[in-house]
Amino acid sequence: MKDETRLTRLGRPHDSRGLVNPGVERGSTILAPSAAQLYDFPPGMPHYGRVGLETQSALREALSGLQGGVGCALTSSGLLANTLAIMTVVEAGGTVLAADCIYGPVRSFLLNTLPRFGVKASFFEPRMGREIGDLITSDTQAILLESPGSLTMELQDIPAITGIAREKGVTTIIDDTWSAGLTMKPLALGIDLAAQSLTKYVGGHSDLLMGAVVARDEAMAQRLQTTERAFGIHTAPDDAYLALRGFRTMALRMQRSEATSLILADWLAARPEVGAIRHPVRSDHPDHAIFKRDFTGGCGLFSIELPGWDVARSERFLDALDIFGLGFSWGGYESLAIHCDPQLKRSATAHKHDGALIRFSCGLEAPEDLIADLEKGFAAVC
Ligand SMILES: *Cc1c(COP(=O)(O)O)cnc(C)c1O
């Protein structure tokens, strides 16, 4: 079956009442049928609400099924999905090798929190492939990817990296939010743990914070579940319900956002103010060949360079926009824009771009209206 079909079928209720959606099942206590069974619940049956009831298990099944994984942990945010994946695999004395483009708060976790537990981090230039083998040492426990980087849009050569990592016994983790586990299949490309923020395209309506980690094999799924349960991680059934509702329509929304983003990118490319367009779906993206090989589609998130622009000019441009909201997150029905420069952090190599970097998340509005909005932005800076 194609993914569009699977999105409609995965995570349906297993009972015989005929409902197509699981209920919002709330509960902490689950009564045991007898005293003897208090400590011996039947296998697969939850013994306590913290581990998730019907709603969460439907969502876990849906996400794991879409990605071809064998287990899934739900988290209260995408950030926690990343940190849980990392905590699942590291031990004191180890090092995490991370792409220099990873999400800022994950970088902070690696630099500020993990060292307290004896784990170090080092960063690599994100346009990396098999050469990463030269950076792997006997201390390397995990390689953390984000492809494309969600501000700067560089791609990593995932199969090349997972190939060498496997040869050297290193676990690979990806932050896979841009593809939402739909347009790229990290586990099939050899990744061990795929983390994503469901807050973005899966949620899709800017009213939900959630994350998920999907494991590639049984051993990794066991480690993931043990770590998830050790931390007492729980997500509310109402949130799981919203995420599963978003899951049903995400292919449509992503395709529409992508189509709009390509119209806008073409229009922007013809503007004299605009330099490089950073959109992996476009053939002028430096990593487009990798995109074509590993992805079946894109989404509405891309960035542009504005040569000679400083932060003040970016702010004037953004303040003149009306339909594009100014705010963090992305993947919602409404379009957003931010200037990235104040939050770009690099340690492997200085980040090279000309002037300012502005990122757009295209929502579901008519492209003509968004273009008229951008015109207002440019009018305000000249
Ligand atoms: C938003 C985002 C996160 C964090 O997700 P939250 O659900 O907001 O915690 C992690 N990684 C990427 C790439 C993101 O865009």
Side-chain angles (χ1 to χ4, degrees):
M1 265 184 248
K2 298 282 188 202
D3 276 345
E4 281 86 348
T5 313
R6 284 147 48 77
L7 288 174
T8 72
R9 296 177 58 91
L10 290 164
R12 294 269 196 100
H14 296 298
D15 67 30
S16 54
R17 292 183 305 151
L19 287 164
V20 297
N21 295 309
V24 175
E25 198 169 67
R26 295 170 172 282
S28 52
T29 298
I30 299 167
L31 299 175
S34 70
Q37 281 171 282
L38 259 178
Y39 295 97
D40 189 21
F41 263 68
M45 193 179 146
H47 68 288
Y48 186 46
R50 193 171 58 220
V51 303
L53 303 175
E54 189 200 8
T55 328
Q56 293 95 333
S57 55
L59 177 62
R60 282 198 300 255
E61 236 179 79
L63 294 168
S64 188
L66 182 67
Q67 299 204 30
V70 301
C72 173
L74 300 176
T75 57
S76 54
S77 70
L79 175 56
L80 183 54
N82 276 272
T83 55
L84 171 63
I86 295 164
M87 292 306 275
T88 295
V89 301
V90 295
E91 288 174 18
T95 301
V96 177
L97 268 180
D100 222 3
C101 60
I102 58 167
Y103 183 65
V106 178
R107 171 187 285 271
S108 301
F109 175 79
L110 291 177
L111 289 173
N112 303 323
T113 305
L114 272 191
R116 296 201 284 114
F117 303 96
V119 180
K120 289 193 230 135
S122 68
F123 295 87
F124 61 87
E125 205 290 312
R127 298 185 62 206
M128 181 73 81
R130 203 180 154 81
E131 326 82 83
I132 203 167
D134 300 338
L135 304 178
I136 295 175
T137 67
S138 56
D139 296 339
T140 310
Q141 293 172 343
I143 297 175
L144 180 59
L145 308 179
E146 186 185 320
S147 182
S150 60
L151 297 171
T152 45
M153 304 289 156
E154 306 95 331
L155 271 70
Q156 289 107 69
D157 187 337
I158 300 169
I161 292 174
T162 56
I164 184 81
R166 184 144 289 118
E167 282 167 34
K168 300 201 174 216
V170 176
T171 302
T172 48
I173 303 170
I174 194 168
D175 180 338
D176 175 34
T177 304
W178 195 84
S179 82
L182 176 66
T183 59
M184 192 267 286
K185 303 290 180 187
L187 305 179
L189 299 179
I191 294 283
D192 297 303
L193 288 171
Q196 67 161 303
S197 168
L198 304 177
T199 309
K200 310 296 163 58
Y201 278 106
V202 176
H205 296 76
S206 307
D207 55 2
L208 173 72
L209 275 145
M210 225 174 151
V213 188
V214 179
R216 173 191 164 82
D217 62 30
E218 199 54 58
M220 197 52 80
Q222 267 309 326
R223 271 170 85 174
L224 174 64
Q225 190 184 79
T226 304
T227 313
E228 172 199 16
R229 293 195 176 174
F231 282 116
I233 293 171
H234 170 77
T235 52
D238 312 67
D239 287 349
Y241 185 90
L242 283 178
L244 191 57
R245 171 188 277 222
F247 179 88
R248 305 291 179 213
T249 58
M250 76 168 160
L252 264 178
R253 290 183 285 101
M254 285 175 78
Q255 284 155 14
R256 166 65 188 238
S257 299
E258 177 190 342
T260 299
S261 73
L262 292 172
I263 295 171
L264 265 54
D266 278 346
W267 183 84
L268 286 161
R271 291 286 309 195
E273 299 90 341
V274 177
I277 310 270
R278 295 173 170 239
H279 196 323
V281 181
R282 284 170 58 95
S283 58
D284 59 2
H285 188 280
D287 304 320
H288 183 66
I290 291 179
F291 171 81
K292 271 198 359 212
R293 186 192 64 193
D294 295 344
F295 291 71
T296 56
C299 68
L301 192 75
F302 73 104
S303 302
I304 59 170
E305 293 180 18
L306 293 142
W309 283 32
D310 56 10
V311 168
R313 188 170 266 228
S314 299
E315 287 174 353
R316 280 213 305 285
F317 173 82
L318 293 172
D319 283 334
L321 301 177
D322 179 31
I323 299 178
F324 279 96
L326 312 184
F328 296 107
S329 198
W330 45 277
Y333 63 87
E334 84 292 11
S335 292
L336 296 173
I338 56 168
H339 58 309
C340 305
D341 301 86
Q343 62 161 310
L344 286 179
K345 295 200 175 60
R346 296 273 148 161
S347 33
T349 51
H351 187 64
K352 290 190 254 358
H353 66 271
D354 194 1
L357 191 69
I358 289 187
R359 184 185 77 179
F360 300 102
S361 171
C362 297
L364 304 177
E365 304 90 342
E368 300 87 317
D369 292 331
L370 293 173
I371 286 176
D373 210 36
L374 295 174
E375 235 155 18
K376 279 171 48 188
F378 284 117
V381 295
C382 61

